Amino acid sequence: MPPLPGSEARAETPPLHGHEAGVILQRVRESVDPELRSALESLPGSLRRVALYHFGWEHADGTPAAGNAGKAIRPALVLTAATALGGDRARAAAVRAAVAVELVHNFTLLHDDVMDRDTTRRHRPTAWTVFGDSAAILAGDALQALALRLLAEDPHPAAGAAAARLADCVVELCEGQHEDTAMEALDPGEVTLDQVLVMAEAKTGALLGCACALGALYAGASGEEVGAMDAFGREAGLAFQLIDDVIGIWGDPSRTGKPAGADLAARKKSLPVVAALTSGTAAASELAALYAAPYDEGDLVRTALAVEEAGGRDWAQVQASDRMGRAMGQLARAVPDPEAAGGLLSLAEFVTRRSA
Amino acid sequence: MPPLPGSEARAETPPLHGHEAGVILQRVRESVDPELRSALESLPGSLRRVALYHFGWEHADGTPAAGNAGKAIRPALVLTAATALGGDRARAAAVRAAVAVELVHNFTLLHDDVMDRDTTRRHRPTAWTVFGDSAAILAGDALQALALRLLAEDPHPAAGAAAARLADCVVELCEGQHEDTAMEALDPGEVTLDQVLVMAEAKTGALLGCACALGALYAGASGEEVGAMDAFGREAGLAFQLIDDVIGIWGDPSRTGKPAGADLAARKKSLPVVAALTSGTAAASELAALYAAPYDEGDLVRTALAVEEAGGRDWAQVQASDRMGRAMGQLARAVPDPEAAGGLLSLAEFVTRRSA
């Protein structure tokens, strides 16, 4: 299926920032991967296989694979925040924390895929489809334990506060996923925009905020700076989610790896959809009717148009810009020197523009 | 259904030790419950409901319940080990660690019930049958995070080592559960006794050992004492599992709350069953045949007899005594003063005799 109408109007990734972020992410992988891999290798045999498969370091049959463990945005935020506030020394000290955040992220992915019955992750079959639900749940449980063990064993003075903060974040991530699954069972008309925003902040914003806050903690930053870094990550995370939801409807299938309009086909109550449904427009009623019945041919295109006509797309893009503005404000509070803040700025722009 | 043949021959709980252990467990509940409850109350709304229901403090509709959160054996081991090696001051300092161990235990119960599709826990419907799989998985994830947060926030000098040890234990528990589910999918003839023993140590012994080790850490014990306390808990845990498996076949339904021979009806590869299957006796062949086909009337009684004739029951009881002997040896190494060791001895006898 070709891209849905309007998808050709996407802004291209600005090459300069994309390049900078690309360099940062590459360096982060080099710092983080050895420690991450050694944490996974410490797992007992059967769980190790599930974990190495999930991270892309093994094929389903246990033979080595090239690795495709995602973009490492979260560890990059930890290390870049540490550098911005404490230089190279803080960056070096924060590698374990960066690995812990990546382990937590992947524990939630393993569990979310089981709950959501998602069959594809990073262009490969999800772990539960290969090893079964129990193995995927247990591997996720073990990754959470590995994450908190890394911090428990870290002699750095910030490690205790970092562990407490990461554990709090896990609770918030669980709450976000719980709200998400509860909301998917509701009638679209029963969901408010505020509910979806709160859910998105818990499910996506919380861990990006925590990553930045951990970097700040390892740089010995003040409570106020740590708070501002957390808020920066949260706002950038919400901007990312808004853009991701736009891509989920109008993204180019050849670039997203998903069929056009995948989120609409799954009747996802994503941010632009709920904004459209609660707009009080004629298009909102049309959208509600389309979401309530099985799709006929051409209905997916009509549904995307209804979201757009009801203002859902514009709202999401304005909200995303607004959130990025707030993120910049928080970043300036935490790191007043624009040069020191440059890396975090590049990462925030990278995640919010990556393929929108 | 009446008890299976042989169940009348069970030893009664010795009233003295039972009473002593009962007093210890009651005091432990009084120390642990306020902190445990306040940890659960800190959860966000929807996950809090699942957790309070699981612990028996709320009914499914959210109204208050009397509480039925199990016997608190694991927190009792933490506090009694701390007392044995460091007196009342160590006991008071170890309350958070005791709560953390209880949270980890309950996180694994929530997840295991989802994986095993168990519908009853402590005489009530399991959380996943009431709130759904996702809610039970997420509540379990959150309990693990709460456990490690409690230790991360604990200023006690032993807290870091305790957190690392508890996280390692979680990995071992996951491995044990993984082995258990993998083994249930195997043909009974493919399972070795060694495999089941290793699995039982990981699934049951590891957390009892960890509980004792954490108590020792909070008492400022030496590495050798901590190791001996861990080994004491592991051996007692294996003895407990052996007795529990005997009860699962020959236990009195009016006391176990389960139908007679429940484990045989479910074709569980419990320790006495695998010992019987691998005994090379004629009864072993009969048992294998009975386990391979649907039960006719009277087959459950015949199956229990076959396990007994093949020596499975005797083996389990001898093994349990042997493990208890080893546990006593480790206890004497860690706590040479018999008076100081009395509480731990009572608890070990309580768990291994509770209804066998």
Side-chain angles (χ1 to χ4, degrees), chain A:
Chain A
M1 189 172 170
L4 290 179
S7 60
E8 66 288 347
R10 290 172 299 97
E12 285 301 312
T13 310
L16 181 66
H17 286 305
H19 183 68
E20 277 178 16
V23 172
I24 292 173
L25 292 170
Q26 182 54 38
R27 278 196 60 213
V28 166
R29 279 247 85 99
E30 284 160 18
S31 305
V32 162
D33 278 0
E35 186 97 21
L36 176 61
R37 191 142 183 176
S38 112
L40 301 182
E41 300 279 357
S42 78
L43 289 172
S46 51
L47 296 177
R48 183 168 64 232
R49 272 199 59 196
V50 182
L52 288 172
Y53 171 82
H54 170 78
F55 277 93
W57 278 316
E58 277 187 13
H59 296 293
D61 64 2
T63 53
N68 172 23
K71 291 184 209 68
I73 295 291
R74 290 158 193 81
L77 287 172
V78 177
L79 298 186
T80 312
T83 312
L85 285 158
D88 285 346
R89 208 168 146 171
R91 185 189 192 278
V95 169
R96 275 198 221 185
V99 173
V101 166
E102 188 69 351
L103 287 167
V104 161
H105 176 53
N106 282 279
F107 127 61
T108 66
L109 295 180
L110 278 161
H111 283 194
D112 288 359
D113 285 344
V114 171
M115 293 178 229
D116 302 340
R117 310 318 285 163
D118 279 333
T119 55
T120 306
R121 159 88 49 205
R122 297 167 188 151
H123 306 280
R124 300 162 76 225
T126 46
W128 70 267
T129 67
V130 176
F131 300 97
D133 285 9
S134 296
I137 293 171
L138 292 165
D141 290 343
L143 294 192
Q144 185 187 171
L146 284 185
L148 290 159
R149 190 185 65 180
L150 273 178
L151 295 178
E153 284 173 344
D154 187 347
H156 193 280
R165 201 158 185 125
L166 187 57
D168 276 338
C169 180
V170 168
V171 173
E172 193 174 352
L173 292 169
C174 291
E175 174 68 0
Q177 169 68 5
H178 188 270
E179 288 300 311
D180 196 12
T181 53
M183 222 143 46
E184 287 303 320
L186 291 179
D187 195 84
E190 297 174 288
V191 177
T192 69
L193 196 49
D194 202 46
Q195 271 181 297
V196 206
L197 280 167
V198 168
M199 180 277 286
E201 179 170 343
K203 210 180 148 173
T204 308
L207 190 54
L208 298 191
C210 181
C212 296
L214 262 56
L217 283 169
Y218 274 77
S222 70
E224 205 189 333
E225 287 164 327
V226 174
M229 285 304 279
D230 190 306
F232 160 72
R234 279 179 186 264
E235 297 289 359
L238 258 177
F240 158 74
Q241 191 57 59
L242 285 153
I243 300 297
D244 201 52
D245 282 359
V246 168
I247 295 168
I249 301 175
W250 294 280
D252 179 350
S254 70
R255 296 179 62 170
T256 64
K258 289 186 193 176
D263 284 1
L264 298 180
R267 257 94 173 173
K268 269 195 69 173
K269 298 180 191 78
S270 65
L271 288 157
V273 168
V274 176
L277 283 168
T278 54
S279 64
T281 58
S285 313
E286 193 198 348
L287 175 60
L290 285 159
Y291 250 45
Y295 286 128
D296 284 331
E297 213 191 307
D299 276 357
L300 214 52
V301 171
R302 261 190 292 279
T303 307
L305 276 174
V307 178
E308 194 153 3
E309 282 167 19
R313 185 178 186 167
D314 284 347
W315 173 85
Q317 274 164 338
V318 169
Q319 271 280 323
S321 300
D322 180 45
R323 297 285 176 174
M324 273 301 276
R326 294 195 219 177
M328 296 306 113
Q330 297 287 353
L331 181 56
R333 264 183 67 205
V335 192
D337 172 8
E339 198 161 331
L344 286 167
L345 188 64
S346 292
L347 286 176
E349 293 194 337
F350 175 78
V351 294
T352 51
R353 297 206 185 176
R354 51 186 189 109
S355 44

Side-chain angles (χ1 to χ4, degrees), chain B residues 211-238:
Chain B
C212 297
L214 261 54
L217 283 170
Y218 273 77
S222 71
E224 205 188 331
E225 287 165 325
V226 173
M229 285 302 278
D230 190 307
F232 159 72
R234 279 178 187 265
E235 296 290 358
L238 257 177

